[in-house]
Amino acid sequence: MAGDAGVLYGRGAEGGGDPPDPLPGIEHYLPSAVLASVLSRLDPRSLCSAAATCSSLRSVASHALSFLPSFHLLEIAPTLDLLRPLLPPNPYLKSLKLDCSRLDDSSIGFLTRPSLHELCLHNCENLSGRILSEVGGKCRDLRSLSLSSLAERRGLSIVFTDLEELLTGCSQLESLSLALDFSSFDNPKFGQVWATASAALSSLEVGYIPLTMLIELLSATVQSRQSLRPVKPPIFPSLQMLCLSVDYITDHLVGFISKGLPSLSSLDLQDAPIMEPIVTSDLTNAGLQQINPHGKLKHISLVRSQEFLFTYFRRVNDLGILLMSDACSTLESICLGGFCRVTDTGFRAIIHSCSNLRKFRVSHGSQLTDLVFHDISATSLSLTHVSLRWCNLLSNLGIVGLSNNKQLIVLDLRDCRNLGDEAVKALSYLPKLQILLLDGTDTSDLGLSYLGHGSCPLVSLSLRGCKRITDNGISLLFSGSVNQSLQVLDLSRLPNLTDNGILSLAKGRIPIVELRIRECPHIGDTSVMALASMQIEGRTPGSSLYVLDMFECGGITPLAIRWFKKPYFPRLRWLGVTGSLNRDMVDALSRSRPFLRIACRGEELGMSFLDTSGGWYSHEEDEMDELERWLLEGEDEIENDSDQ
């Protein structure tokens, strides 16, 4: 055994004077072809984990990057220099998803690759509209394109020809999402240019489009279908999903959509009026009656935003909802925002008419009461997602009735001021409830004790602005089984929360991934030190946290910034602090941790573009961030590590 151990560890024979033989590399046990085959099946993060272990695997991993069919890197925002080794020339690359907040126009040629079928770029504020024309010119086989925040930085332009070249060049496009202001494309040919768009386009999402431009586009769509002798094929022959933000939702607009898009199965419209609409520029009962003439709609969302003005759909009442529900009995999802004149009669009509309904959302339902859910147990509904935000007539009794629906997974009750502990008690026994939002409700420490000892497998809980919650409530919350599942927690704007509450979280070693404690006046440096020192299953201190928002916490001093240096918080990607802290220290932290996004102006943090329901939070990670290590450290250092 001793001799075998000597061979295993590379030592020479006993008594010999020769230096010990070096340890054989992994290629001694596995041929390079086998290693390459294994690594080619890994995602980019796993490849980087392998590359950080030894020089042999680093070489094979670098080669494997040339054959990856998909490259998705949304958790960090790389620069072009850091991206180049990760994205070598690759004729097999079909899907590319990136956070582009640190990329500019110099990277456009690098990102637009002819082999791509899917391109999803987030935070494109430093990219101009030229990327649209480049995609149209190079990515001829593209099926899906999604761009957000394009050219939002001052001085960057988007012009009509950019859109024209995109639509003309990408003839295979099936899904197009452009979260930008379409007024940049104002042109007399705007309506007709869509005739050159892909006939396979089934999904279209637009950030904002002026109503006049949209009517022009829809008019061209209707005309292309009504022509007895069409010279050109119809516009949008296959469109099934339409998502738009406009100035006003009107009867005229709804009518054009219903006539021009017969295959539509999902319609999402939102407006944000800057002045109170007049009759001719508003939605009425007559407009709702025109919805779904072909009977194919599965999802509908009609929302009036309060962004600029407190205004509502004042010309729609229960009659309009009754007419719509009769025509939309096959709906699986409905979202209504700002229907202030609709009462329980209208909302009950939806629930009782749409037997396949799974997602039900109402915001600013000023006349929605407990009666909506009074006899929900007598229906065949299996609601999985319910949102009742700003429904202030709703009380505990209504939520007790809703809790008879045992299939609930997501429940949003934010700003329902009359809800309290009895409602929370009823919800604590829902066997599938994973996301619960209770912001601004009358929940107290007693309600948290119900949740802590309940049976719901909560993954995300928001208690923002629940002023009756104290440190004792946090201890009660984590005294039960919920501490095994909870990963996202919002304790912002709790005036009675102190460092003791965060200490109880740290002592319980709760594996929180996202923690928001912004605007808590009694939270200070002690909370930061407790979170930095918290170890879960022997891993690196603070390793579970991915998002930490401590903006405007009254007791935070520049001393706390030191605790965000490595090795603490190795997984942290988003940090919210107050801008008045020592700016030099914050800038130094930003330089030492380039992949950490530090927000100092109060913006909300997080990665809304990630699908957290797909197991992101349950992903087991190693203690060290291999991706960051491989990008920032030199190859020589890794080789030295492997030789030791």
Side-chain angles (χ1 to χ4, degrees), residues 89-371:
N90 179 3
Y92 304 97
L93 187 65
K94 301 297 182 184
S95 176
L96 178 61
K97 296 182 180 181
L98 291 174
D99 184 337
C100 297
S101 55
R102 301 175 70 188
L103 301 177
D104 56 25
D105 277 6
S106 63
S107 63
I108 290 179
F110 183 77
L111 299 174
T112 51
R113 304 190 175 205
S115 62
L116 286 175
H117 284 186
E118 179 184 28
L119 181 60
C120 180
L121 304 178
H122 297 282
N123 301 319
C124 303
E125 56 264 21
N126 297 315
L127 297 175
S128 72
R130 187 166 67 86
I131 192 170
L132 298 176
S133 58
E134 290 286 330
V135 168
K138 294 183 179 179
C139 306
R140 299 284 183 170
D141 292 329
L142 200 66
R143 268 57 169 185
S144 175
L145 175 63
S146 177
L147 302 176
S148 69
S149 307
L150 183 63
E152 287 188 353
R153 197 188 74 191
R154 181 176 296 180
L156 295 178
S157 64
I158 308 177
V159 295
F160 175 74
T161 54
D162 294 328
L163 177 65
E164 187 175 30
E165 292 180 30
L166 171 70
L167 297 178
T168 304
C170 297
S171 59
Q172 307 298 317
L173 207 58
E174 299 171 2
S175 175
L176 178 61
S177 175
L178 298 177
L180 53 91
D181 186 348
F182 262 50
S183 61
S184 303
F185 302 131
D186 192 11
N187 187 282
K189 297 192 300 180
F190 177 77
Q192 293 301 323
V193 74
W194 289 90
T196 64
S198 167
L201 190 66
S202 61
S203 176
L204 176 62
E205 182 175 356
V206 172
Y208 166 76
I209 180 170
L211 185 61
T212 53
M213 293 177 63
L214 180 57
I215 293 297
E216 179 188 351
L217 170 59
L218 293 173
S219 297
T221 305
V222 172
Q223 291 171 10
S224 70
R225 293 184 179 278
Q226 294 180 342
S227 176
L228 296 178
R229 296 181 179 180
V231 179
K232 298 179 180 179
I235 302 175
F236 301 139
S238 307
L239 198 66
Q240 299 177 22
M241 195 280 280
L242 181 64
C243 180
L244 302 170
S245 178
V246 295
D247 315 271
Y248 300 98
I249 298 174
T250 69
D251 292 349
H252 198 44
L253 172 60
V254 171
F256 269 120
I257 292 175
S258 299
K259 294 176 184 176
L261 304 173
S263 300
L264 210 61
S265 62
S266 177
L267 175 61
D268 191 328
L269 297 177
Q270 176 173 312
D271 67 4
I274 59 175
M275 62 180 63
E276 191 66 37
I278 60 176
V279 176
T280 55
S281 62
D282 203 3
L283 182 66
T284 70
N285 291 340
L288 290 183
Q289 195 172 3
Q290 300 180 66
I291 291 177
N292 200 29
H294 305 283
K296 296 182 180 180
L297 272 183
K298 301 295 183 183
H299 164 77
I300 186 168
S301 176
L302 301 171
V303 175
R304 176 148 287 175
S305 170
Q306 313 292 312
E307 182 179 0
F308 304 115
L309 182 71
F310 288 108
T311 183
Y312 305 89
F313 291 112
R314 302 182 189 277
R315 296 176 175 88
V316 173
N317 55 28
D318 291 337
L319 177 60
I321 299 297
L322 287 168
L323 294 172
M324 184 183 73
S325 60
D326 286 342
C328 300
S329 59
T330 58
L331 281 180
E332 299 174 2
S333 170
I334 187 167
C335 175
L336 300 175
F339 288 81
C340 66
R341 295 187 59 197
V342 177
T343 70
D344 294 336
T345 301
F347 294 123
R348 283 169 59 87
I350 295 171
I351 289 177
H352 288 269
S353 299
C354 306
S355 58
N356 296 323
L357 199 65
R358 296 293 179 267
K359 300 180 180 181
F360 179 67
R361 178 183 175 187
V362 176
S363 62
H364 295 285
S366 56
Q367 298 196 52
L368 184 149
T369 73
D370 299 337
L371 291 176

Side-chain angles (χ1 to χ4, degrees), residues 21-60:
D21 296 330
L23 285 171
I26 191 172
E27 69 276 4
H28 177 78
Y29 303 101
L30 288 175
S32 297
V34 175
L35 284 176
S37 178
V38 172
L39 265 62
S40 66
R41 291 166 169 78
L42 302 180
D43 60 10
R45 173 172 286 280
S46 301
L47 276 174
C48 293
S49 300
T53 57
C54 67
S55 58
S56 298
L57 281 179
R58 179 182 177 86
S59 176
V60 178

